Amino acid sequence: MRHRIISENLALLYQGAAEKFGALPAFAIRESPLQWKPVSYNELYQKGLDLATGLIDLGVQAREHVGLFGDNRFEWILADFGVQLCGAADVPRGRDVSDNEFCYIIDHASIKVLFVETHEFQERIISLKDKLPALREIILLDSNASPLEGVRKLKDVCEQGAKLREQGDRRAEQRIAGIKPDDLFTLIYTSGTTGHPKGVMLTHSNMISQIRNIPGCHNMNDRLLSVLPIWHIFERVIEMYTISFGGCTYYSSIQTIGEDMRNVEPTFMASAPRLWEKLHEKILKGVKASHPVRQILFHIAYFLSRQYNASTYFITNKNLKLKQQAWWKRFILLPFHLVRWTIVLPWYGFFNAAVLERIRLGVGGSLVATISGGGALPIHIDRFFNYMGIPVLEGYGMTETSPVISVRSIDNLVVGTVGPPIPETEIRIAHPETGEILYPNKNLPYGGMSQRGEILVRGPQVMKGYYREKELTSITLRDGWLHTGDLGIITYNNCLKILGRCKATIVLSSGENVEPEPIEMRLQQSQFIDHCMLVGQDKKYLGALIVPALTEFNQAGFSEKTLEELAANPETYKVIRNEIHRMTSVSNGFKRYEQVRDFRLLTRNFDIGKELTNLYKIKRHEVENRFNNIIGDLYSQKSKK
Amino acid sequence: MEFDTQLLYAHDQILLALMIFVIMLGMGASLTIDDFRAVARKPRGVLIGFISQFGLMPFLAFSIATILGFHPAFAIALILIGCLPGGTTSNMFTYFSRGSVALSISMTTASTLLALLMMPVLLKLYTSGFTSQITASMQAAGTEAEFVIPTGNIISSLILVLVPVAMGMILRRKSPDWAKTAEDTAGFVAIIVILYLLGTAFIRHGGLFLRTPVEVYIGAVGIGLTGFLFGYWFSRLVGVMPLFQRAISLETGIQNGPLAFAVILLSFREPVQSQMLWLAILYSTFIVLTSSVITLYYRKKGRFDYDVYRNTVIHNRLFGPEYVTHYPEGFLPPRLVRDPSQGNSPSQKR
């Protein structure tokens, strides 16, 4: 906390960081595995001022919306600096968007100046230009690509700005002074799961409140390895947070993450659950491939760690508490846990040092904490990493709350929850249909803990509203309370646990409500299932659409080369059916109506940007539309039998 | 106190020998020829460590034994422990205390070789008073024999112990996978055997723990702790970086326990052998506990300077060897900034 810069707006944050951290590297760009290019805080700020001046010279007004379309690269950050320093707001978006969405966003946000990342991107925009009369300037980020006609290079704009600044142009400083806390710093269009994109208005004070309230203790020695899409709000808040304490952000990518983790030795990471699943798989594979004696040592170590941590959680009251535990139960169990803890401690200490440390070295060895967000982290992955000694802090948030609502901290690590709300943030649990407040509610036992309902949030991070969507804003934001549309409960140790989306709930014709997400997550733990989605709204039973994992089937001796061939093989169905039975049996704690009775194999994997969001969440609506026939078939056939 | 029966039966001794073999093999498996070369390249730290290990430690052992008025057999054992070289255990503890593992390994290799020369000389120097006491008591009991430190035997047992170390090094060259396994197994085996020895001692000679004089416990715990303390402050006075300070401190306090067993078993006879072994067992047990505590303390204390060190190392790794990390004024404590041998940041030469 001591080293964090808290300023009034982001432009002042950038300025303060340049003054305070000067020559320290702010960002590092990968050129080859062991060759990275550092950019210092000073350099970045100066370049940002040049670009801001260049933009002002191009006619960008204060509070104007500037488009920023592209994926992870250093110039993206520079462009963001430029936009913030000239008092404007950026409208970011990745490459994976359809042409229609592009036009919609540019038109809806009245974008006049637009940054595009690559050569292909500029071609796409140019071809759409007829539909976009308001678009005046296009600036190309990639310095290696040659700009088409009517497109400027980022470098040229910067140089023009630098020239002006040399002549004494100080308009950027004036703009910085004119930024008000309530001004937008970004307008993020979320594709959401339904309808056209919505522009989320986030203000400087939203973001500054996040920097102020995110728990954690970091300083200039910290290294952040970045893999999330750069324009995603989760990635942005982590980057701003890193700037506030003077750490360095190293840009990696999904393809090189393993290598980069070992070279950069990050102290801190933020990523989506998918990355942890991949790492988990990789670690287990590494263990399987190692020497038999070391395999045994690993299993002993993991066993001890589980025993040790389970007791630690119990003793320190950090176990997941969905039900109130009678005091006498704890009284009786406590001595047993204390004894187990004491017996296991020395053994755990040794194995932790000798065996688990090797595993930790595989991910750099310096990770103090990692944050997982943007989707639910499967509980077994969560436990695995925490037992491994790599604290994974799961957080919860959404673009509308810029984004962090709650996150586990190292001192308050309750596995299975998303931690307590961050400071200055209030949470309510409301009944999804009646809207009755269930938590906090004095009339209910324990003030409403363990009551399930929709999560409502109020706090300084809540967005200003949806841009030019009054009606939608008034539905989502009522009396300052943001209706998240997520189902959750408050546990008995004051942490929030997320259960799923309100709208995702499948109501069977029998009237039973099924939360599909936990079941899907359970099914995806099977090595043979890549993705799956449950269906069955208003039907008698649950059905599933499943994308089988081709590589795993090949390893298991199946010779099929494509998903089509795999889907045609009845043996595949047998394997998957067995997996479903194994994973969701009644003995595994699933209720009868929660069982998948029938399923169909899909012949095409889910794509990011289409059926999956960038953080690998399923867009149910899209999948349902796309595979409508298959879903129909799933239920019609069965009824014939 | 006297031992009425033998502390270790024949099969225990075989077990102990096996453990020594496995541990020394594991130690060898963690070493390469490069580690020896590193000593020659950077002799300063190793030299300071050498003074600390062979200058301070035996003297501390002698002082403790004298001040606490040890029985001569215990005194000889304590001094023997004080004269031992460092073992691989210290490398692991150094690693977790955020100290310089490279220095720890260099010191281990250098001291293991130098022990061949230093141990007999130091033992003779510090134990002369105690050996004459034993001789006197033996003569009082009626035997005509004279008790002398078996110098020749000690040297040959040291050489014998170095054989598995050399084997481990060859293993490392031939098969790194097996070498890693040997390394991991060694530590595990050591803990099991020490616990077994403690357990059997408890069952067979239940009264032994009670009959052992308090000062022996104090000595067994104290020799490690004073080693840590003096190693830490001595290196601080000489002006080494905190990173190396922690390595020297741990290397001084943690001795090669299994080597003590080997030397005692191979070179000493009753009536002193059992008592010496008992002290060696107590030392080996307590040193694990004390160094765990010290390591946790160092780990916490050294967090900041280690982070600075790692950060600059990684900057040099990724941004090129010429890159110099400029921390803003006031961020680094004066000691890290002012270090004469280093650049703006600890690992970077100016």
Side-chain angles (χ1 to χ4, degrees), chain A residues 204-264:
Chain A
H204 285 274
S205 73
N206 283 151
M207 186 48 94
I208 296 295
S209 83
Q210 290 273 296
I211 294 174
R212 194 169 59 227
N213 291 330
I214 289 178
C217 193
H218 297 91
N219 64 30
M220 296 170 223
N221 289 323
D222 278 293
R223 295 174 298 279
L224 168 77
L225 194 66
S226 150
V227 276
L228 288 170
I230 198 166
W231 46 267
H232 195 276
I233 187 67
F234 181 33
E235 170 69 20
R236 288 183 83 182
V237 75
I238 295 295
E239 266 169 28
M240 305 279 184
Y241 172 62
T242 310
I243 288 174
S244 78
F245 60 75
C248 181
T249 303
Y250 294 77
Y251 282 121
S252 178
S253 62
I254 288 289
Q255 292 81 32
T256 59
I257 180 91
E259 194 179 27
D260 292 344
M261 272 180 139
R262 282 187 296 279
N263 289 335
V264 175

Side-chain angles (χ1 to χ4, degrees), chain A residues 203-385:
Chain A
T203 66
H204 285 274
S205 73
N206 283 151
M207 186 48 94
I208 296 295
S209 83
Q210 290 273 296
I211 294 174
R212 194 169 59 227
N213 291 330
I214 289 178
C217 193
H218 297 91
N219 64 30
M220 296 170 223
N221 289 323
D222 278 293
R223 295 174 298 279
L224 168 77
L225 194 66
S226 150
V227 276
L228 288 170
I230 198 166
W231 46 267
H232 195 276
I233 187 67
F234 181 33
E235 170 69 20
R236 288 183 83 182
V237 75
I238 295 295
E239 266 169 28
M240 305 279 184
Y241 172 62
T242 310
I243 288 174
S244 78
F245 60 75
C248 181
T249 303
Y250 294 77
Y251 282 121
S252 178
S253 62
I254 288 289
Q255 292 81 32
T256 59
I257 180 91
E259 194 179 27
D260 292 344
M261 272 180 139
R262 282 187 296 279
N263 289 335
V264 175
E265 299 181 19
T267 59
F268 179 44
M269 265 182 81
S271 61
R274 188 80 188 158
L275 176 82
W276 301 112
E277 286 175 21
K278 287 261 176 248
L279 271 178
H280 172 248
E281 248 170 60
K282 229 178 93 184
I283 290 173
L284 287 189
K285 260 186 197 154
V287 168
K288 264 185 198 158
S290 70
H291 198 273
V293 179
R294 291 206 347 255
Q295 272 185 49
I296 296 169
L297 289 178
F298 172 81
H299 288 294
I300 298 174
Y302 188 72
F303 171 79
L304 288 169
S305 180
R306 216 171 60 205
Q307 304 291 321
Y308 172 81
N309 280 305
S311 280
T312 312
Y313 293 152
F314 185 90
I315 293 163
T316 55
N317 244 332
K318 297 281 180 288
N319 46 342
L320 181 62
K321 282 187 179 167
L322 295 182
K323 286 182 191 141
Q324 178 63 13
Q325 196 183 23
W327 65 270
W328 55 268
K329 250 190 203 163
R330 180 171 168 78
F331 190 75
I332 293 171
L333 285 174
L334 192 61
F336 287 101
H337 278 283
L338 281 171
V339 167
R340 178 165 82 165
W341 189 86
T342 326
I343 292 174
V344 173
L345 176 67
W347 300 97
Y348 165 71
F350 171 73
F351 277 95
N352 183 33
V355 184
L356 298 185
E357 180 69 12
R358 284 265 161 79
I359 308 274
R360 289 195 288 265
L361 280 180
V363 291
S366 298
L367 274 179
V368 178
T370 61
I371 301 187
S372 170
L377 188 67
I379 186 111
H380 72 291
I381 306 272
D382 197 347
R383 287 209 186 103
F384 178 82
F385 282 103

Side-chain angles (χ1 to χ4, degrees), chain B residues 59-140:
Chain B
F59 180 70
L60 286 174
F62 173 75
S63 311
I64 290 174
T66 315
I67 293 168
L68 294 178
F70 263 32
H71 183 283
F74 285 132
I76 294 171
L78 197 70
I79 293 166
L80 174 74
I81 288 168
C83 298
L84 287 170
T88 34
T89 334
S90 61
N91 303 348
M92 196 166 101
F93 280 112
T94 304
Y95 173 81
F96 283 99
S97 71
R98 302 191 159 117
S100 166
V101 179
L103 178 63
S104 185
I105 292 176
S106 296
M107 282 165 69
T108 304
T109 47
S111 63
T112 305
L113 284 181
L114 285 167
L116 286 175
L117 181 71
M118 298 305 293
M119 266 183 74
V121 176
L122 289 169
L123 267 179
K124 207 152 219 161
L125 178 70
Y126 285 112
T127 54
S128 56
F130 297 106
T131 49
S132 55
Q133 274 184 44
I134 296 182
T135 311
S137 66
M138 278 162 78
Q139 277 164 357

Side-chain angles (χ1 to χ4, degrees), chain A residues 36 221 263 265 357-358, chain B residues 95 177 184 310 317-318 327:
Chain A
W36 296 55
N221 289 323
N263 289 335
E265 299 181 19
E357 180 69 12
R358 284 265 161 79
Chain B
Y95 173 81
D177 197 32
D184 284 356
R310 277 324 293 172
R317 181 195 295 166
L318 301 178
Y327 284 103

Side-chain angles (χ1 to χ4, degrees), chain A residues 508-543:
Chain A
L508 297 174
S509 57
S510 56
E512 304 281 9
N513 283 358
V514 180
E515 298 308 334
E517 275 146 10
I519 302 172
E520 283 162 7
M521 243 154 61
R522 178 74 193 156
L523 288 176
Q524 278 170 22
Q525 282 170 27
S526 159
Q527 51 179 338
F528 293 111
I529 299 177
D530 227 357
H531 286 290
C532 76
M533 192 185 104
L534 298 193
V535 289
Q537 178 69 36
D538 301 327
K539 303 283 192 247
K540 271 190 195 153
Y541 53 85
L542 277 185

